[in-house]
Amino acid sequence: MSKFLRLLKYIIIITVLSGVAFLVYWFGFREDPKSKLLIDDTPIHIEAIRTIAEISTVNYKDEVVVDTIIYHKNTSVLGMYDIEKLYDHAFHSGIKRRLTLIVKGEVRFGFDLTDNNIGIRQTQDSIFIQLPPPKVLDVVIVPSKTEVFSEVGKWSDYEIKIMESRAKSKLIANAKRMVLDEKSERNMRELIKQLIVSDKKMIITFDKK
Amino acid sequence: MKRIFKILILVFLVASCGDESKTPPKTDIYEIKNIGLLSTTEYTIGKIIKLSDPGEWYKFGDRKLLISCKAKIKAGVDFKKLKDEDIVVDGNTITVTLPPAEITSFVMDPNLVRTEMENVNGFRQSFTQQEKNNFMRQGEQSIRKDIKETKILKDAEQSASNFLTDFYKQLGFETVIVKHRKARPNV
């Protein structure tokens, strides 16, 4: 009986100590991820202004997930001396660090005419228009459409950059799988025909890549 | 003492039975849209995101953060808003009435985002990427709001006029008149 009481006493002590430690952590150390911290109002500065001439004809919207998991090299419970490893093994399935981003982005296809690379030639009954090949003009990724879905451990800015670059590449690859070049050319033909009011026959061709 | 250690091991073993429940969602949602945007001006905008977090009264220490970021913003006109009656040909003269200029693209390249200074002292924790993303979102909203105060839309209209003038002159028109419809005031 006395053994049982002693065990019970230890359990109560551990529970109370854990509770106190938890409260100290919760109020003293933990940063509330939901707290609405507001940034200071700083001005914007214009760094460059460029005159361009880009016609976007197809917009591809997609959502991609990029996930990076780093496990502890040895998740054996025998590694008791490493409290952090033990904690991760107990509560994070042996995951040392994990970051999952959900990125909603847009890929714009179109024609870059900035270098005035549009050729126009006319005969008595026809108009010939030569255009450059379609290409990816923009990959629109912004913080408001990027969500940090899961974050375990510390992540450097450099690692985030790599992950966001992966998301960008994924978006472009997904868009290219849709064979949007042809669609882009078709839309450009319609657009040019809308801009040119003429009875002449219109022949629109595109340079090869 | 041995018993406490045994209990601790037991607690950890029981807890370790749980699995990581957060699995990233698989998505295959996409949308393809036909557009007709002529972008004629690109502004590169820089901003310093500044944050001071003194924390609650019961927290010891504070946190400070400075992030520099850049946004590439394009402006131009939407040809999809062009109606048939907006293009009038009279002999060698063409008159085009373009829709008002608008922002056509807004990109914040992650490669142009840099943490310039991060200072955490006392018992405070470092900024998480989730928190940084939240500050970046606020920075984005601030740039979107402030860009309206610049001349980007005026420049875009001017450049669009120049582009169309060159285009129609190559087609043989002697006089090209480009007008812009006025933007409806926001109600």
Side-chain angles (χ1 to χ4, degrees):
Chain A
M1 192 63 189
S2 70
K3 271 187 177 179
F4 174 74
L5 282 174
R6 204 181 296 165
L7 183 68
L8 192 70
K9 192 176 87 185
Y10 285 139
I11 289 173
I12 290 168
I13 289 168
I14 288 169
T15 311
V16 170
L17 284 176
S18 305
V20 170
F22 179 76
L23 286 174
V24 169
Y25 164 76
W26 194 263
F27 290 106
F29 294 88
R30 185 183 156 272
E31 305 296 343
D32 183 6
K34 284 177 185 167
S35 70
K36 253 288 180 202
L37 291 171
L38 296 176
I39 61 167
D40 293 355
D41 191 18
T42 53
I44 58 166
H45 45 99
I46 300 166
E47 294 189 353
I49 297 175
R50 201 163 69 97
T51 300
I52 53 169
E54 293 175 357
I55 299 181
S56 313
T57 50
V58 174
N59 188 51
Y60 173 84
K61 240 185 216 183
D62 200 356
E63 193 175 49
V64 294
V65 175
V66 274
D67 189 27
T68 301
I69 305 176
I70 297 163
Y71 289 97
H72 281 289
K73 275 181 188 160
N74 178 14
T75 52
S76 162
V77 186
L78 293 171
M80 284 277 182
Y81 51 89
D82 190 342
I83 300 293
E84 199 185 326
K85 198 186 273 187
L86 189 66
Y87 175 83
D88 287 338
H89 181 67
F91 298 106
H92 292 140
S93 306
I95 294 170
K96 190 179 179 188
R97 297 192 302 142
R98 182 178 198 172
L99 189 71
T100 312
L101 300 180
I102 302 173
V103 180
K104 285 178 191 157
E106 288 176 28
V107 182
R108 297 254 173 92
F109 281 78
F111 302 84
D112 188 358
L113 310 173
T114 307
D115 299 327
N116 204 15
N117 43 357
I118 175 166
I120 300 174
R121 191 166 57 85
Q122 285 192 75
T123 58
Q124 272 194 333
D125 57 349
S126 307
I127 300 171
F128 297 88
I129 295 175
Q130 182 80 24
L131 291 161
K135 65 172 189 177
V136 173
L137 294 176
D138 292 304
V139 182
V140 182
I141 294 179
V142 286
S144 61
K145 299 274 172 71
T146 304
E147 185 194 334
V148 179
F149 180 74
S150 170
E151 184 178 3
V152 177
K154 279 185 183 172
W155 291 85
S156 70
D157 287 357
Y158 176 70
E159 288 169 313
I160 297 291
K161 271 180 202 174
I162 290 173
M163 285 184 74
E164 285 179 322
S165 294
R166 263 171 58 202
K168 196 173 165 179
S169 304
K170 257 189 174 181
L171 281 169
I172 295 172
N174 289 356
K176 284 192 171 167
R177 263 203 294 274
M178 297 286 153
V179 200
L180 296 175
D181 285 357
E182 280 173 30
K183 201 175 175 62
S184 202
E185 286 181 3
R186 205 166 48 239
N187 288 349
M188 189 63 171
R189 276 199 176 93
E190 280 173 23
L191 202 69
I192 296 279
K193 280 175 188 166
Q194 189 193 355
L195 287 173
I196 301 172
V197 184
S198 174
D199 297 331
K200 289 183 182 178
K201 194 181 167 194
M202 222 175 299
I203 297 144
I204 301 163
T205 51
F206 298 91
D207 292 337
K208 281 193 177 149
K209 279 184 183 174
Chain B
M1 194 61 202
K2 245 182 176 179
R3 274 211 187 100
I4 295 176
F5 193 67
K6 275 181 187 169
I7 292 163
L8 272 171
I9 289 172
L10 197 72
V11 168
F12 276 124
L13 283 176
V14 168
S16 68
C17 295
D19 207 348
E20 186 71 13
S21 58
K22 263 192 167 182
T23 47
K26 285 196 174 118
T27 54
D28 55 352
I29 312 149
Y30 62 84
E31 181 193 297
I32 298 166
K33 202 174 161 191
N34 295 336
I35 54 170
L37 295 171
L38 168 68
S39 302
T40 54
T41 298
E42 184 188 75
Y43 272 43
T44 305
I45 300 287
K47 186 175 173 75
I48 300 287
I49 293 169
K50 194 172 150 196
L51 185 111
S52 298
D53 174 21
E56 308 293 335
W57 61 269
Y58 49 80
K59 280 191 173 159
F60 179 70
D62 59 4
R63 305 190 297 168
K64 283 186 175 133
L65 182 71
L66 282 181
I67 300 174
S68 69
C69 63
K70 282 186 177 70
K72 288 203 172 193
I73 303 157
K74 291 178 186 173
V77 290
D78 186 356
F79 280 146
K80 286 275 169 193
K81 290 178 184 167
L82 210 62
K83 296 170 204 149
D84 288 344
E85 60 266 28
D86 288 333
I87 301 173
V88 180
V89 178
D90 181 17
N92 271 335
T93 301
I94 187 166
T95 307
V96 185
T97 308
L98 290 174
E102 57 188 78
I103 301 295
T104 53
S105 159
F106 187 106
V107 179
M108 277 177 91
D109 191 341
N111 289 317
L112 302 176
V113 176
R114 210 169 67 188
T115 301
E116 302 288 348
M117 190 277 275
E118 188 175 342
N119 183 26
V120 180
N121 57 46
F123 293 144
R124 305 298 301 276
Q125 284 181 358
S126 317
F127 290 98
T128 62
Q129 289 301 329
Q130 198 160 7
E131 283 179 301
K132 283 185 182 176
N133 185 251
N134 178 30
F135 307 143
M136 289 294 297
R137 283 179 183 206
Q138 291 179 44
E140 181 196 331
Q141 288 310 315
S142 169
I143 296 173
R144 282 186 193 274
K145 190 173 77 110
D146 291 348
I147 192 71
K148 290 175 191 160
E149 310 299 323
T150 67
K151 289 199 310 178
I152 189 168
L153 296 180
K154 214 174 167 188
D155 287 351
E157 285 189 351
Q158 186 56 53
S159 300
S161 299
N162 295 344
F163 174 78
L164 284 177
T165 305
D166 284 351
F167 178 72
Y168 284 116
K169 285 214 165 159
Q170 280 192 69
L171 278 166
F173 288 98
E174 281 172 10
T175 312
V176 181
I177 301 161
V178 182
K179 295 176 188 170
H180 284 272
R181 272 202 302 266
K182 282 204 173 137
R184 277 189 202 167
N186 291 332
V187 182

